[in-house]
Amino acid sequence: MLHTPRRPELLAPAGTLDMMRTAFAYGADAVYAGQPRYSLRVRNNSFGQLDTLAAGIAEAHAAGKLFYLVANITPHNAKLRTFEEDMAPIVAMRPDALIMADPGLIMMVRERWPEVDIHLSVQANTTNYAAVRFWQSVGLKRIILSRELSLDEVAEIRDACPDMELEVFVHGALCIAYSGRCLLSGYFNHRDPNQGSCTNSCRWDYKLHAADENAAGDVQACGDTPIGNPKDSGAVGTATRSRLDTAQGLALGGGPRHIGGSKVWLLEEGTRPGELMPIEEDEHGTYILNSRDLRAIEHVQRLVEIGVDSLKIEGRTKSPYYVARASQGYRRAIDDAVAGRPFDLRLLGELEGLASRGYTDGFYQRHHTPEHQNYLRGHSESGRSLLVAEMVGYDAARGLAEVEVKNGFGVGDRLEFVQPGGNHELKLDRILTADGSTVERIPGSGRRVWLPLPAGADPARPCFIARFL
């Protein structure tokens, strides 16, 4: 069933006050931030300071915006004993909702602060309408649905639960297991993802060894040399691994053996040479992989038609530029969808300006393409543009913007000035230093220089500057 289109909330991440301000300037209706001891982002979070958190909530409310606080860990007993005492001053700041996952913590909040709105975190992995009804029965206001749902499943939940607020992720990192349940980080570093200290172990550098079984039944490497990147042998992913076997079989003793009905490989992590970890491969593939990032901007129109209440961007540890670009793109997509305008394909290209691990639309279409996993690299890259500067001042007499340099650029480069009111392009014809001299190129960060502004740019509004690649 399609619902009368209404404007969903655009919810952006905020790890700092500057990031919050940027999100609001570029179109977000609300932000979410974490209380470090009880949320899944313990690093890079300036809102761990109570005065900063209070300032953020007050500033958001003064601007007519919403501020949600994340407290979504799965705690052990020690954290239960301190939870209410730690949360009391934060609840007094009146965040618009707490984002929570653990039933015990939710019960504690409902008993002590029944007036506080609670949104169920994606960490609870809500995948069906019966679960939504259960959480509604205990007084929750909103459910953040699992990332593993298709558009049709979201629509079915909406129809079955018409009076419950629903939120979905539309952009950002994806887990390689059900959201937040990956065990790699805990295995390597004793830093558990569901305790807020994930080290993103899925994106480290791994080498692959073929394995064999010795007479004692132990798994061991076939030879001393790792296979390396499957790309080198023409194999990508696991479905074509037989080609890799053929290319490497003689050197490595014939490739992996079928042990207990499954292939077994050995992984070697880059900083742990000689520590070989077995991983099985069955007919479904392997399970330690590096997911592409979610980009579902092309599905905003359908999500608006379904009647989803909030569209969420992931990335509390990302940069203000990231939240500016993402908020700007999804703001335009939402506004177009609500107004009945067709999706602007240029928005896909504009998000290519953000560093990513390649994009997928996640599970929304149950994979119209097999290219949804990134097997070949673990680093971020941008295929369209690169952030090179941020405007920090303006000299009206000279008509020049003072910028803080982030990455190298030079005369002749085509630049994009990214602003809340719209973006503007300029082919750079001069760069002036603080003493008024001209230079042809700025090699890197840590400097301030003066640039001309393109026609139409507003010197009074925030501005990030990107170089087209």
Side-chain angles (χ1 to χ4, degrees):
M1 178 188 301
L2 295 183
H3 299 259
T4 302
R6 62 178 184 270
R7 189 182 306 277
E9 170 187 273
L10 177 58
L11 178 55
T16 65
L17 278 172
D18 187 32
M19 198 172 176
M20 179 195 77
R21 292 163 183 155
T22 301
F24 290 151
Y26 282 82
D29 301 301
V31 297
Y32 61 100
Q35 207 284 341
R37 181 169 167 78
Y38 303 102
S39 77
L40 295 192
R41 290 293 181 271
V42 298
R43 65 189 191 280
N44 301 337
N45 183 2
S46 68
F47 288 112
Q49 304 297 322
L50 291 183
D51 55 346
T52 304
L53 182 59
I57 294 172
E59 188 173 323
H61 291 170
K65 306 287 187 176
L66 301 176
F67 192 110
Y68 304 135
L69 187 75
V70 183
N72 63 347
I73 64 164
T74 303
H76 293 254
N77 290 330
K79 288 187 177 180
L80 287 183
R81 289 190 285 270
T82 60
F83 178 71
E84 291 190 27
E85 180 181 351
D86 290 343
M87 292 300 294
I90 293 172
V91 171
M93 297 174 192
R94 301 179 67 84
D96 294 282
L98 298 180
I99 300 174
M100 307 181 71
D102 182 73
L105 293 185
I106 290 172
M107 179 184 68
M108 294 169 71
V109 170
R110 296 290 298 148
E111 290 176 348
R112 178 159 178 180
W113 299 287
E115 75 283 0
V116 171
D117 287 336
I118 298 176
H119 296 176
L120 186 69
S121 171
V122 72
Q123 299 301 318
N125 300 124
T126 305
T127 59
N128 62 77
Y129 58 77
V132 172
R133 288 171 176 167
F134 165 78
W135 289 111
Q136 186 174 16
S137 73
V138 297
L140 271 62
K141 183 178 182 181
R142 177 184 296 182
I143 304 299
I144 306 170
L145 295 175
S146 172
R147 290 180 175 97
E148 290 76 22
L149 294 176
S150 70
L151 288 167
D152 290 342
E153 288 174 312
V154 173
E156 187 176 5
I157 292 173
R158 172 79 290 165
D159 290 340
C161 307
D163 53 350
M164 169 57 87
E165 290 187 14
L166 300 179
E167 177 178 309
V168 300
F169 279 89
V170 291
H171 197 91
L174 290 171
C175 289
I176 61 166
Y178 260 69
S179 299
R181 303 300 177 97
C182 174
L183 297 177
L184 279 179
S185 180
Y187 176 81
F188 282 128
N189 300 100
H190 305 292
R191 290 175 57 178
D192 296 330
N194 64 9
Q195 293 296 305
S197 53
C198 181
T199 55
N200 298 113
S201 307
C202 59
R203 290 169 178 166
W204 294 353
D205 175 35
Y206 294 93
K207 292 180 174 63
L208 185 68
H209 295 259
D212 201 350
E213 186 177 13
N214 64 19
D218 297 324
V219 177
Q220 61 185 13
C222 301
D224 298 324
T225 306
I227 292 173
N229 197 317
K231 180 182 178 182
D232 300 334
S233 300
V236 178
T238 57
T240 56
R241 193 68 79 187
S242 59
R243 285 183 288 161
L244 188 148
D245 296 347
T246 302
Q248 302 289 343
L250 290 177
L252 297 176
R257 298 293 188 266
H258 289 263
I259 300 172
S262 300
K263 290 182 180 179
V264 176
W265 301 84
L266 295 172
L267 288 180
E268 182 181 24
E269 196 272 313
T271 62
R272 294 170 172 81
E275 296 184 24
L276 303 182
M277 301 171 290
I279 176 171
E280 291 191 5
E281 177 185 83
D282 60 19
E283 68 273 15
H284 302 294
T286 55
Y287 304 94
I288 298 183
L289 300 172
N290 179 23
S291 174
R292 294 178 184 270
D293 289 342
L294 174 65
R295 180 190 61 190
I297 196 166
E298 67 268 37
H299 299 308
V300 165
Q301 183 171 2
R302 175 80 192 282
L303 291 167
V304 169
E305 292 171 347
I306 289 170
V308 172
D309 297 278
S310 181
L311 305 184
K312 187 171 192 172
I313 298 167
E314 183 276 340
R316 278 182 280 152
T317 61
K318 299 289 185 69
S319 68
Y321 177 64
Y322 167 89
V323 81
R325 274 286 198 189
S327 296
Q328 182 188 64
Y330 283 90
R331 175 80 277 154
R332 286 168 54 190
I334 290 171
D335 291 346
D336 286 347
V338 172
R341 294 186 291 267
F343 175 65
D344 186 348
L345 290 172
R346 291 175 297 181
L347 295 177
L348 291 169
E350 290 185 5
L351 291 174
E352 292 289 342
L354 293 175
S356 73
R357 291 172 173 81
Y359 284 126
T360 172
D361 62 350
F363 292 86
Y364 282 126
Q365 292 191 91
R366 289 301 184 209
H367 301 314
H368 53 77
T369 169
E371 297 299 325
H372 58 273
Q373 288 293 144
N374 179 2
Y375 299 102
L376 304 181
R377 58 180 168 82
H379 61 279
S380 297
E381 65 179 33
S382 169
R384 179 180 182 269
S385 62
L386 176 70
L387 174 68
V388 295
E390 181 178 355
M391 188 169 72
V392 295
Y394 181 70
D395 185 337
R398 294 190 295 166
L400 295 175
E402 184 182 17
V403 305
E404 184 175 307
V405 179
K406 306 294 186 182
N407 286 293
F409 62 95
V411 171
D413 285 342
R414 188 162 65 99
L415 302 182
E416 183 179 24
F417 289 68
V418 182
Q419 292 197 288
N423 303 340
H424 309 275
E425 295 182 17
L426 173 75
K427 186 171 182 179
L428 188 61
D429 60 4
R430 65 189 187 279
I431 303 172
L432 280 74
T433 61
D435 61 8
S437 59
T438 60
V439 293
E440 288 294 309
R441 183 164 185 82
I442 296 297
S445 63
R447 301 169 176 82
R448 291 195 176 190
V449 295
W450 295 85
L451 305 179
L453 275 179
D458 185 348
R461 305 200 75 180
C463 184
F464 293 95
I465 302 164
R467 175 174 62 86
F468 285 100
L469 301 178

